[in-house]
Amino acid sequence: MIYMGITFTANMRFGYLPSEDEIVNYGYIPLYEILAKFPQFKANLCFSGYSELTLAKKYPKVVDMVKKGISEGRFRISSNGFEHIPMPFVSYECTNKNILKGIETDQKVWSIKQPDGFVPSDGSWDPTIGLLAHKAGLKWVMCHRNYVTKEKLEEYKDIDPYHPVYAICPENTRVMVPLAHNRCAVLVLREKDMDDWFNELKAISASRKDDVFMCATLDMEMPLAIKVQGYAENGIERFQRFIEKWTQMQGIEFTFIGDYLEKHPPKQEAYLKHSYWHWYGDGWCKSDGAEKLVSICSSAERNILDCENLISAGYNAPEVRFELEQAWEHLLFALNSEAYFTDNLSGKNDGIKYPLARVNIDAYNNAIKANELSKQIKIKLLKNTSR
């Protein structure tokens, strides 16, 4: 038996998709409508906080569709963080804040006690992500299995990628990690990739004598994205065919990730190194146009952390906590990974311009707001303490 744990991640700042209206009308809504036809297909839904807040404000129909799926036992909410951030390349403090504010937004929008687990954006991982997610009360953190199997590293030679692992993290912490297959996301809807995916499932089913656990990470925008990328004339029809074929396969049982891990905790342990799908962070490590954005964000973070330290030392001023949370939000929004995929990715997606101007300008606007607001708060605190 192949037990399948499915995650769909939602990022309404998807770098090359036309607009939020189109993401909702040609991505989310048809996806939920299709999944409702296959009640055996269970999925963990993972929204960025920005996506959740936008849906709650502008698209209540989508919120109602998700809540209906939750009540029917087809969906479960897992966390994706407050923003779609490449967390191995931001500070410990920003990583922590992204996780905590993400959980807070999950709870607020979906009326839940706690998300089921944590799916870092783009499958990013480093040991502090596991530690901070564990401290926040999340039971598991997903990592892509190719980080364990690629390069056939000697230390990973005994790891079975078809079973979860305990990841070794700082402070004597271990966190359960389901290993996600790297064939999914959007491109699995291409004809050849779709055939390869189902052939692999058949081969695993035929060759393994034991039950195995596989995770698949999919984009909630995929019915629209596959059309925009030019791989399908009708992305909605392609997605429905994909789900139909998947649910018709013998020897597969769809399960929520947390339910499986509760019954089958990991029996293997590994130290998983820092990793990120975007070539280990080209946008952060090379000269591709993002340096100024990174600089503004760094300045804003220094101010914010100075304010946090002043408050911790007993310095305060009216409304400062609320204003500081606003500054944090602007900073996290500015750290959206899509704004860092600039020229180095152009032309690799069939001529798609990546990212769109609106994504970059939005990141700059939030970075500048975070920087200016945090400076004002810092001055207010210092004035208040000098009296």
Side-chain angles (χ1 to χ4, degrees):
M1 177 69 71
I2 299 177
Y3 291 94
M4 296 287 324
I6 313 300
T7 69
F8 284 96
T9 57
N11 174 23
M12 294 192 73
R13 285 172 165 161
F14 208 121
Y16 59 79
L17 296 183
S19 68
E20 291 180 350
D21 284 349
E22 287 171 280
I23 287 172
V24 168
N25 293 322
Y26 301 105
Y28 299 166
I29 290 176
L31 182 138
Y32 301 145
E33 289 174 342
I34 290 168
L35 293 182
K37 300 175 183 178
F38 304 92
Q40 72 272 39
F41 192 95
K42 296 181 179 180
N44 290 74
L45 304 187
C46 320
F47 298 82
S48 72
Y50 174 85
S51 300
E52 290 171 324
L53 294 173
T54 302
L55 291 172
K57 182 178 180 180
K58 297 173 59 178
Y59 306 99
K61 176 182 177 179
V62 174
V63 174
D64 291 341
M65 294 176 79
V66 171
K67 287 185 174 180
K68 186 172 188 291
I70 294 172
S71 67
E72 293 173 348
R74 297 184 291 107
F75 297 155
R76 188 171 293 176
I77 299 297
S78 298
S79 196
N80 184 231
F82 189 67
E83 184 52 277
H84 193 276
I85 291 175
M87 289 193 291
F89 305 103
V90 300
S91 70
Y92 184 81
E93 290 81 5
C94 278
T95 299
N96 188 46
K97 197 67 175 180
N98 193 46
I99 292 172
L100 293 177
K101 286 192 74 66
I103 293 172
E104 178 186 316
T105 311
D106 296 333
Q107 294 168 331
K108 176 182 177 181
V109 173
W110 307 115
S111 304
I112 59 172
K113 291 183 178 179
Q114 184 78 338
D116 186 44
F118 186 52
V119 180
S121 299
D122 296 328
S124 58
W125 166 269
D126 71 54
T128 69
I129 296 174
L131 169 66
L132 293 171
H134 177 78
K135 286 185 173 184
L138 298 171
K139 296 179 180 178
W140 52 266
V141 181
M142 180 173 284
C143 177
H144 279 279
R145 72 171 194 172
N146 60 318
Y147 300 145
V148 176
T149 57
K150 77 175 186 177
E151 301 168 0
K152 298 182 179 177
L153 298 176
E154 178 66 21
E155 63 197 281
Y156 294 147
K157 64 183 176 62
D158 296 324
I159 296 297
D160 184 346
Y162 296 106
H163 289 291
V165 303
Y166 274 116
I168 303 169
C169 300
E171 299 184 4
N172 296 315
T173 299
R174 297 193 313 170
V175 62
M176 290 191 291
V177 173
L179 298 172
H181 199 288
N182 55 303
R183 191 187 293 280
C184 291
V186 170
L187 299 183
V188 74
L189 292 186
R190 295 185 298 191
E191 288 290 355
K192 184 182 183 305
D193 289 84
M194 197 187 302
D195 292 340
D196 289 346
W197 170 246
F198 290 120
N199 287 336
E200 180 176 351
L201 292 180
K202 291 175 184 176
I204 293 167
S205 184
S207 63
R208 300 284 299 226
K209 295 180 181 179
D210 59 333
D211 291 338
V212 301
F213 180 59
M214 291 182 65
C215 287
T217 57
L218 304 167
D219 292 316
M220 220 174 287
E221 301 85 5
M222 60 195 306
L224 172 63
I226 200 70
K227 179 182 178 183
V228 171
Q229 286 187 307
Y231 295 124
E233 196 66 36
N234 188 320
I236 296 171
E237 289 181 0
R238 179 74 62 86
F239 178 73
Q240 176 154 331
R241 180 154 57 87
F242 175 64
I243 298 299
E244 283 177 349
K245 194 168 183 178
W246 205 351
T247 53
Q248 289 168 1
M249 292 190 71
Q250 299 297 312
I252 288 182
E253 181 175 323
F254 297 96
T255 181
F256 293 124
I257 294 171
D259 288 353
Y260 180 87
L261 293 174
E262 185 175 348
K263 296 176 183 176
H264 308 280
K267 297 180 180 179
Q268 49 189 358
E269 188 177 77
Y271 171 70
L272 306 179
K273 296 179 180 178
H274 133 259
S275 46
Y276 185 57
W277 79 270
H278 185 47
W279 295 280
Y280 296 90
D282 282 359
W284 295 76
C285 304
K286 295 184 179 178
S287 299
D288 70 346
E291 298 95 329
K292 182 57 67 66
L293 183 57
V294 172
S295 174
I296 300 171
C297 288
S298 297
S299 176
E301 184 181 354
R302 286 193 300 271
N303 289 327
I304 289 172
L305 294 180
D306 283 346
C307 293
E308 292 284 10
N309 291 333
L310 287 169
I311 292 172
S312 296
Y315 303 139
N316 213 328
E319 299 182 359
V320 156
R321 184 72 258 172
F322 174 77
E323 292 175 350
L324 195 56
E325 286 302 310
Q326 286 185 312
W328 268 117
E329 289 186 10
H330 285 304
L331 175 59
L332 295 176
F333 287 153
L335 292 171
N336 175 15
S337 65
E338 303 290 278
Y340 298 87
F341 296 161
T342 52
D343 295 345
N344 59 322
L345 215 61
S346 297
K348 294 185 180 180
N349 288 307
D350 293 342
I352 290 172
K353 186 177 181 182
Y354 196 101
L356 297 176
R358 65 176 175 84
V359 177
N360 277 329
I361 294 300
D362 193 46
Y364 275 112
N365 285 339
N366 276 290
I368 293 168
K369 287 179 182 176
N371 196 35
E372 292 300 319
L373 182 57
S374 60
K375 283 193 291 186
Q376 293 170 12
I377 298 168
K378 187 175 177 180
I379 292 169
K380 185 184 297 185
L381 283 168
L382 291 172
K383 282 183 176 180
N384 183 267
T385 57
S386 65
R387 293 175 184 172

